[in-house]
Amino acid sequence: MYIVGNYFTAVVFCMITMLCWGSWGNTQKLASRSWRYELFYWDYVIGMVLFALLLGLTMGSAGDAGRPFLADLGQAAGASVGWVVLGGVIFNASNILLSASVSLAGMAVAFPLGVGIALVLGVIINYVGAPSGNPLVLFLGVAFIVLAIVCNGIASGCVQHGEESRRNNRKGLLLAVVAGVLMSLFYRFVVMGMDIADFHHPAAGMLTPYSAVFVFSLGVLVSNLLFNTLVMRWPFVGAPVGYGTYFKGSLPTHLVGMLGGAVWCLGTAFSYIASGEAGPAISYALGQGAPMVAAVWGVFIWKEFKGATPLVNRLLALMFLLFIGGLGLIIVAGN
């Protein structure tokens, strides 16, 4: 399998993770023109599973280093698989809530709040579980991210007009907070099922990045039968939707959702691959710079803050600067 050989390459992989995690929401925005997010999410999960399998059969099976993808799956211990599946279940619960938040509050609000909270809590959890990097610089970077989240929240509250808009925004913010707390937990469980100390000679029974992301995606798929069915029956907004509606969707609409899952899966796989060199805390933290990417899409492409006051524009500019500064400190913390 392909293995990252140095810290610089690991950082590049983490940057790709950040771009992927911050950009998949665009596919939901595209699909939402004619497609409920609950239906989009089924395509998203299917795309995730298929792309994880593709990565395993290509990058995960190339070269002589480590264990090939299929052999790694075959030797995995039940406990390792269980930890990774649990991570997938927790992630799926959080991501469904994040998708609902995007549909209510927009990308430029939901991602910085939800994923920003996940970054802060996740860095702490992953650092305690597997310390790596300079803690002072690392947590200073996290503090910058917290300030960026605060700026985004203030800016969001300034642009809501009308009682229904405010009500949906409040509901979206609440869902983003819950999603962020849950999302901060999943990565640590996945790492518990992997041998991040040595991808070249992994311990027997442990998973490596490519098998882990595939098992993870299966955990998401299985749990989706429960979670998304409940959300379809009792949606956060709008009328209930049945499975019959899903099969009436057009091929392009289904493909857009699958593309979203594939983009997210690529970012996740690269984060796991990079964790061997960068360590779980730094790998996770850099990937969770995704809110800045999502905010760029929301502000400049989807015009979610169109017509904002000068104060709001200054808050958004400060948010971007704080995110960039925080990410820079996190990168330095690993050297």
Side-chain angles (χ1 to χ4, degrees):
M1 66 179 184
Y2 173 78
I3 298 175
V4 167
N6 55 71
Y7 182 70
F8 174 79
T9 306
V11 169
V12 171
F13 270 49
C14 291
M15 289 299 181
I16 295 173
T17 295
M18 180 178 67
L19 291 173
C20 290
W21 282 357
S23 299
W24 71 262
N26 289 302
T27 59
Q28 180 181 341
K29 296 283 285 189
L30 287 171
S32 66
R33 296 170 177 173
S34 59
W35 202 233
R36 289 276 292 271
Y37 87 88
E38 299 94 340
L39 302 175
F40 158 86
Y41 200 76
W42 275 112
D43 292 323
Y44 173 88
V45 171
I46 292 169
M48 184 191 304
V49 174
L50 293 177
F51 195 78
L53 179 60
L54 177 64
L55 277 176
L57 295 175
T58 52
M59 290 179 66
S61 303
D64 299 323
R67 280 192 296 256
F69 172 64
L70 293 178
D72 199 43
L73 280 176
Q75 63 80 53
S80 299
V81 171
W83 285 121
V84 175
V85 168
L86 179 59
V89 172
I90 293 172
F91 165 81
N92 196 31
S94 70
N95 210 43
I96 286 177
L97 295 177
L98 184 63
S99 294
S101 179
V102 170
S103 70
L104 289 165
M107 281 183 68
V109 174
F111 270 76
L113 179 58
V115 184
I117 290 173
L119 186 155
V120 174
L121 296 179
V123 168
I124 296 171
I125 292 168
N126 285 291
Y127 187 85
V128 171
S132 62
N134 184 315
L136 179 62
V137 178
L138 177 62
F139 288 106
L140 180 60
V142 170
F144 274 46
I145 302 294
V146 172
L147 292 175
I149 295 170
V150 172
C151 290
N152 179 264
I154 296 172
S156 171
C158 292
V159 298
Q160 302 305 317
H161 303 290
E163 184 55 36
E164 183 178 359
S165 175
R166 293 190 186 94
R167 185 167 56 251
N168 284 340
N169 188 65
R170 286 195 297 269
K171 186 185 290 186
L173 291 175
L174 177 60
L175 291 174
V177 169
V178 178
V181 173
L182 287 173
M183 193 172 290
S184 68
L185 301 172
F186 87 88
Y187 199 92
R188 181 60 199 151
F189 287 113
V190 174
V191 170
M192 288 174 68
M194 295 169 55
D195 182 5
I196 62 170
D198 189 356
F199 289 161
H200 290 273
H201 305 95
M206 301 292 281
L207 294 168
T208 52
Y210 303 95
S211 56
V213 75
F214 178 66
V215 171
F216 176 92
S217 69
L218 293 180
V220 173
L221 177 62
V222 172
S223 63
N224 208 48
L225 293 169
L226 172 62
F227 296 155
N228 208 20
T229 298
L230 291 175
V231 174
M232 291 169 68
R233 181 67 182 85
W234 294 284
F236 293 106
V237 63
V241 58
Y243 280 101
T245 308
Y246 173 81
F247 295 102
K248 295 177 182 177
S250 66
L251 178 61
T253 300
H254 287 302
L255 290 177
V256 166
M258 292 181 189
L259 174 62
V263 169
W264 187 90
C265 185
L266 175 64
T268 302
F270 274 28
S271 179
Y272 295 168
I273 295 167
S275 66
E277 282 291 328
I282 291 172
S283 180
Y284 177 86
L286 286 177
Q288 293 290 42
M292 184 183 70
V293 177
V296 169
W297 287 110
V299 171
F300 297 107
I301 304 301
W302 298 107
K303 308 295 183 184
E304 292 174 352
F305 285 86
K306 185 178 181 180
T309 64
L311 171 61
V312 170
N313 289 329
R314 286 195 291 270
L315 285 168
L316 291 173
L318 180 58
M319 177 195 72
F320 286 124
L321 289 174
L322 287 168
F323 258 120
I324 292 170
L327 291 174
L329 288 170
I330 291 169
I331 291 172
V332 171
N335 277 320

